[in-house]
PDB file of all heavy atoms in Angstrom:
ATOM      1  N   HIS A  26      16.732  -0.259 -25.876  1.00 35.00           N
ATOM      2  CA  HIS A  26      18.158   0.077 -25.854  1.00 35.00           C
ATOM      3  C   HIS A  26      18.376   1.556 -26.149  1.00 35.00           C
ATOM      4  O   HIS A  26      19.241   2.202 -25.582  1.00 35.00           O
ATOM      5  CB  HIS A  26      18.887  -0.792 -26.881  1.00 35.00           C
ATOM      6  CG  HIS A  26      20.298  -0.359 -27.171  1.00 35.00           C
ATOM      7  ND1 HIS A  26      21.300  -0.473 -26.242  1.00 35.00           N
ATOM      8  CD2 HIS A  26      20.848   0.186 -28.269  1.00 35.00           C
ATOM      9  CE1 HIS A  26      22.422  -0.032 -26.767  1.00 35.00           C
ATOM     10  NE2 HIS A  26      22.177   0.378 -27.998  1.00 35.00           N
ATOM     11  N   GLN A  33      21.756   0.351 -18.795  1.00 43.00           N
ATOM     12  CA  GLN A  33      20.864  -0.669 -19.319  1.00 43.00           C
ATOM     13  C   GLN A  33      21.205  -0.979 -20.763  1.00 43.00           C
ATOM     14  O   GLN A  33      21.108  -2.120 -21.205  1.00 43.00           O
ATOM     15  CB  GLN A  33      19.418  -0.197 -19.201  1.00 43.00           C
ATOM     16  CG  GLN A  33      18.957  -0.085 -17.743  1.00 43.00           C
ATOM     17  CD  GLN A  33      17.666   0.696 -17.617  1.00 43.00           C
ATOM     18  OE1 GLN A  33      17.365   1.533 -18.444  1.00 43.00           O
ATOM     19  NE2 GLN A  33      16.919   0.427 -16.567  1.00 43.00           N
ATOM     20  N   ALA A  34      21.639   0.025 -21.539  1.00 42.00           N
ATOM     21  CA  ALA A  34      21.995  -0.193 -22.927  1.00 42.00           C
ATOM     22  C   ALA A  34      23.149  -1.162 -23.052  1.00 42.00           C
ATOM     23  O   ALA A  34      23.141  -2.062 -23.889  1.00 42.00           O
ATOM     24  CB  ALA A  34      22.358   1.142 -23.591  1.00 42.00           C
ATOM     25  N   VAL A  35      24.155  -0.995 -22.218  1.00 40.00           N
ATOM     26  CA  VAL A  35      25.295  -1.901 -22.264  1.00 40.00           C
ATOM     27  C   VAL A  35      24.862  -3.314 -21.936  1.00 40.00           C
ATOM     28  O   VAL A  35      25.298  -4.285 -22.547  1.00 40.00           O
ATOM     29  CB  VAL A  35      26.403  -1.429 -21.297  1.00 40.00           C
ATOM     30  CG1 VAL A  35      27.505  -2.484 -21.212  1.00 40.00           C
ATOM     31  CG2 VAL A  35      26.986  -0.113 -21.781  1.00 40.00           C
ATOM     32  N   GLU A  36      23.951  -3.454 -20.939  1.00 42.00           N
ATOM     33  CA  GLU A  36      23.457  -4.782 -20.595  1.00 42.00           C
ATOM     34  C   GLU A  36      22.805  -5.427 -21.807  1.00 42.00           C
ATOM     35  O   GLU A  36      23.043  -6.587 -22.120  1.00 42.00           O
ATOM     36  CB  GLU A  36      22.434  -4.683 -19.465  1.00 42.00           C
ATOM     37  CG  GLU A  36      23.040  -4.419 -18.111  1.00 42.00           C
ATOM     38  CD  GLU A  36      21.983  -4.422 -17.026  1.00 42.00           C
ATOM     39  OE1 GLU A  36      20.804  -4.591 -17.372  1.00 42.00           O
ATOM     40  OE2 GLU A  36      22.350  -4.265 -15.866  1.00 42.00           O
ATOM     41  N   LEU A  37      21.964  -4.694 -22.519  1.00 43.00           N
ATOM     42  CA  LEU A  37      21.256  -5.271 -23.641  1.00 43.00           C
ATOM     43  C   LEU A  37      22.194  -5.560 -24.804  1.00 43.00           C
ATOM     44  O   LEU A  37      21.966  -6.492 -25.570  1.00 43.00           O
ATOM     45  CB  LEU A  37      20.132  -4.322 -24.079  1.00 43.00           C
ATOM     46  CG  LEU A  37      18.986  -4.230 -23.068  1.00 43.00           C
ATOM     47  CD1 LEU A  37      17.961  -3.209 -23.542  1.00 43.00           C
ATOM     48  CD2 LEU A  37      18.327  -5.564 -22.863  1.00 43.00           C
ATOM     49  N   GLN A  38      23.277  -4.771 -24.952  1.00 46.00           N
ATOM     50  CA  GLN A  38      24.265  -5.095 -25.967  1.00 46.00           C
ATOM     51  C   GLN A  38      24.848  -6.467 -25.718  1.00 46.00           C
ATOM     52  O   GLN A  38      25.064  -7.250 -26.644  1.00 46.00           O
ATOM     53  CB  GLN A  38      25.373  -4.041 -25.971  1.00 46.00           C
ATOM     54  CG  GLN A  38      24.963  -2.745 -26.671  1.00 46.00           C
ATOM     55  CD  GLN A  38      26.061  -1.708 -26.621  1.00 46.00           C
ATOM     56  OE1 GLN A  38      26.915  -1.756 -25.747  1.00 46.00           O
ATOM     57  NE2 GLN A  38      26.048  -0.798 -27.559  1.00 46.00           N
ATOM     58  N   ASP A  39      25.111  -6.770 -24.454  1.00 46.00           N
ATOM     59  CA  ASP A  39      25.622  -8.101 -24.105  1.00 46.00           C
ATOM     60  C   ASP A  39      24.603  -9.167 -24.488  1.00 46.00           C
ATOM     61  O   ASP A  39      24.961 -10.248 -24.957  1.00 46.00           O
ATOM     62  CB  ASP A  39      25.915  -8.191 -22.604  1.00 46.00           C
ATOM     63  CG  ASP A  39      27.111  -7.335 -22.217  1.00 46.00           C
ATOM     64  OD1 ASP A  39      27.908  -7.026 -23.108  1.00 46.00           O
ATOM     65  OD2 ASP A  39      27.222  -6.998 -21.023  1.00 46.00           O
ATOM     66  N   VAL A  40      23.320  -8.864 -24.280  1.00 45.00           N
ATOM     67  CA  VAL A  40      22.282  -9.823 -24.641  1.00 45.00           C
ATOM     68  C   VAL A  40      22.269 -10.050 -26.153  1.00 45.00           C
ATOM     69  O   VAL A  40      22.164 -11.173 -26.635  1.00 45.00           O
ATOM     70  CB  VAL A  40      20.899  -9.320 -24.156  1.00 45.00           C
ATOM     71  CG1 VAL A  40      19.790 -10.201 -24.713  1.00 45.00           C
ATOM     72  CG2 VAL A  40      20.860  -9.319 -22.640  1.00 45.00           C
ATOM     73  N   PHE A  41      22.399  -8.946 -26.939  1.00 46.00           N
ATOM     74  CA  PHE A  41      22.404  -9.083 -28.390  1.00 46.00           C
ATOM     75  C   PHE A  41      23.542  -9.974 -28.864  1.00 46.00           C
ATOM     76  O   PHE A  41      23.412 -10.737 -29.805  1.00 46.00           O
ATOM     77  CB  PHE A  41      22.540  -7.709 -29.054  1.00 46.00           C
ATOM     78  CG  PHE A  41      21.355  -6.816 -28.818  1.00 46.00           C
ATOM     79  CD1 PHE A  41      21.518  -5.452 -28.714  1.00 46.00           C
ATOM     80  CD2 PHE A  41      20.080  -7.348 -28.696  1.00 46.00           C
ATOM     81  CE1 PHE A  41      20.439  -4.631 -28.485  1.00 46.00           C
ATOM     82  CE2 PHE A  41      18.998  -6.533 -28.478  1.00 46.00           C
ATOM     83  CZ  PHE A  41      19.183  -5.170 -28.366  1.00 46.00           C
ATOM     84  N   GLU A  42      24.692  -9.849 -28.193  1.00 47.00           N
ATOM     85  CA  GLU A  42      25.836 -10.672 -28.570  1.00 47.00           C
ATOM     86  C   GLU A  42      25.488 -12.150 -28.451  1.00 47.00           C
ATOM     87  O   GLU A  42      25.914 -12.970 -29.254  1.00 47.00           O
ATOM     88  CB  GLU A  42      27.031 -10.348 -27.675  1.00 47.00           C
ATOM     89  CG  GLU A  42      27.700  -9.006 -28.010  1.00 47.00           C
ATOM     90  CD  GLU A  42      28.276  -8.986 -29.421  1.00 47.00           C
ATOM     91  OE1 GLU A  42      28.936  -9.965 -29.811  1.00 47.00           O
ATOM     92  OE2 GLU A  42      28.016  -8.016 -30.147  1.00 47.00           O
TER      93      GLU A  42
END
Side-chain angles (χ1 to χ4, degrees):
H26 168 69
Q33 293 166 333
V35 172
E36 285 184 358
L37 290 177
Q38 282 178 336
D39 291 339
V40 171
F41 294 147
E42 286 298 315

